[in-house]
Amino acid sequence: MVDITNVLYVEENVLIAEFPADMELTDEIFAKVNERFEELASQSAVDTHISNLQMEGSLNNDVFARAQEAAEAGKEFGITNWIIVSEDIKKMALKSKVGEIPGVDISLVDTRPEAMDIATA
């Protein structure tokens, strides 16, 4: 079982979600992720979100639904910039779903350092 406190954390102005390769893609896990997301999103300095998608499995409808919920919740806290990190097609798949949320700007990058450069610029 993944420790959610290690998956989501704040660094500078960025709420970072690190989804490791061995992470289970279950609705239960993503419910906990979203709960933690909302906890951290309330910090006043946070204005950007990075999703680092390293998990091996393909993304399913539950993941997409939870990502949309997080994007809606993030907007309520002023987080409208999302940076999706992945070296494969996952970033485009997630962008297509989160991009359906009006007012959320999305950037796609291959590496976490690229994402931090954009987030802290």
Side-chain angles (χ1 to χ4, degrees):
M1 185 64 108
V2 172
D3 180 0
I4 298 302
T5 58
N6 292 330
V7 171
L8 282 108
Y9 56 93
V10 173
E11 189 174 303
E12 296 185 43
N13 63 309
V14 185
L15 195 166
I16 300 170
E18 299 278 0
F19 298 108
D22 61 347
M23 185 169 180
E24 296 175 54
L25 302 178
T26 66
D27 195 44
E28 179 185 349
I29 294 290
F30 279 95
K32 290 179 182 180
V33 165
N34 279 5
E35 184 178 311
R36 175 82 172 148
F37 179 92
E38 288 189 36
E39 228 177 83
L40 297 174
S42 66
Q43 296 182 22
S44 62
V46 175
D47 62 8
T48 302
H49 171 69
I50 293 175
S51 286
N52 189 6
L53 309 176
Q54 302 305 311
M55 59 273 224
E56 294 174 359
S58 60
L59 304 178
N60 60 40
N61 287 334
D62 289 338
V63 173
F64 293 135
R66 294 297 183 169
Q68 288 175 320
E69 288 173 17
E72 288 286 3
K75 276 180 35 180
E76 292 175 24
F77 294 105
I79 300 172
T80 57
N81 297 315
W82 277 53
I83 304 166
I84 303 171
V85 180
S86 178
E87 292 182 354
D88 62 22
I89 199 164
K90 285 182 189 74
K91 66 185 169 201
M92 291 182 288
L94 190 59
K95 178 183 180 180
S96 73
K97 296 300 181 181
V98 174
E100 293 175 0
I101 308 301
V104 176
D105 297 318
I106 301 170
S107 300
L108 302 177
V109 298
D110 293 332
T111 67
R112 190 176 175 287
E114 286 176 277
M116 284 303 291
D117 285 346
I118 292 169
T120 58

